[in-house]
Structure formats: C-alpha cells, structure tokens
Amino acid sequence: MPTLPTETKSDLLKYLRFAALENAVRVRYELEIESRNESARLTSFDSDEKKLGDDRPYEILKARFEPLRRQAGKIIELFHGSESVAVKNFSVELVLASEDLRIWTDEELVFPISSES
C-alpha cells in the first residue's frame, strides 16, 4: 500500500481546515465521478455530530472546493495509478482537534492517519 507523502498530507490538512465552518469539529469532502461529470459535497459537523448549515457565497465555496479537488486527483492517482478513471467515489474526513484523517475511495478505507503518525 502506498504511503501519503508528507507534503500531500500537509496540504490536505490545510485545505480541509480552510474549508471547515467556524464551529466545526469535523469536516468531510466527498467527490463523485461519473464519466465526465463530477459532483462534490463539503460538510461540516458540530460537537453533537449535526451538520452545520453552509450559506457561504458561491465564490467562497469554489475557493474551498478547488484545492480539495486537486488533492483528490493526486491521492486517487497515488492509490490507484492508471486505474484512477475507475474510481467513482472519493471521500476524505478530518477531525479538526486531533487531526485524525481518513481517506476512502469507492467506499474502501484506503488511508487512515491518526495524530500519532
């Protein structure tokens, strides 16, 4: 199993922190890839595990999504190489206080990283 390069991990943590809403304790980015179409979701959760509403303007959300999409592409390539076109779902989740990070491709956990690593 490949390892996540330190620079990729640092960038991913930075972009997820940047994307999280102010009162979030956890943030999740999900990307669905269907042929040439993509849809993405960014969800922040509070300490009660409830989703926080996000009414930020489109321009701000776009600024949060774009670096996460670039990182998703790099990580999919890292874990799947030339098979990246076969990946239909990518998810990454960060617990902000502990920096616990988990990455899934097609519902399979491919990279858990805890604050101890």
Side-chain angles (χ1 to χ4, degrees):
M1 175 82 47
T3 59
L4 194 64
T6 303
E7 183 179 342
T8 302
K9 176 186 175 184
S10 295
D11 287 346
L12 191 55
L13 291 171
K14 175 177 67 175
Y15 299 141
L16 284 165
R17 279 191 227 102
F18 182 62
L21 289 170
E22 186 176 331
N23 295 322
V25 297
R26 183 168 57 96
V27 62
R28 180 186 307 144
Y29 172 74
E30 299 169 284
L31 177 66
E32 292 179 33
I33 305 165
E34 293 290 332
S35 297
R36 295 184 187 266
N37 297 319
E38 295 182 357
S39 64
R41 282 187 301 279
L42 183 60
T43 310
S44 294
F45 299 87
D46 67 13
S47 58
D48 294 326
E49 292 299 311
K50 293 181 182 169
K51 291 180 183 181
L52 296 170
D54 194 342
D55 58 357
R56 294 178 281 188
Y58 173 78
E59 294 79 21
I60 291 175
L61 288 172
K62 183 177 177 186
R64 281 14 180 217
F65 275 85
E66 286 181 5
L68 288 168
R69 174 59 184 104
R70 285 192 303 274
Q71 288 301 310
K74 290 179 184 178
I75 293 167
I76 289 169
E77 181 72 24
L78 177 69
F79 285 101
H80 297 282
S82 61
E83 298 173 21
S84 64
V85 293
V87 173
K88 295 191 183 305
N89 295 289
F90 172 87
S91 300
V92 60
E93 186 173 278
L94 172 66
V95 177
L96 294 158
S98 64
E99 292 195 343
D100 286 343
L101 182 67
R102 291 183 177 80
I103 301 169
W104 294 264
T105 59
D106 290 336
E107 311 304 323
E108 176 188 349
L109 184 64
V110 295
F111 204 79
I113 302 171
S114 68
S115 54
E116 290 87 40
S117 59

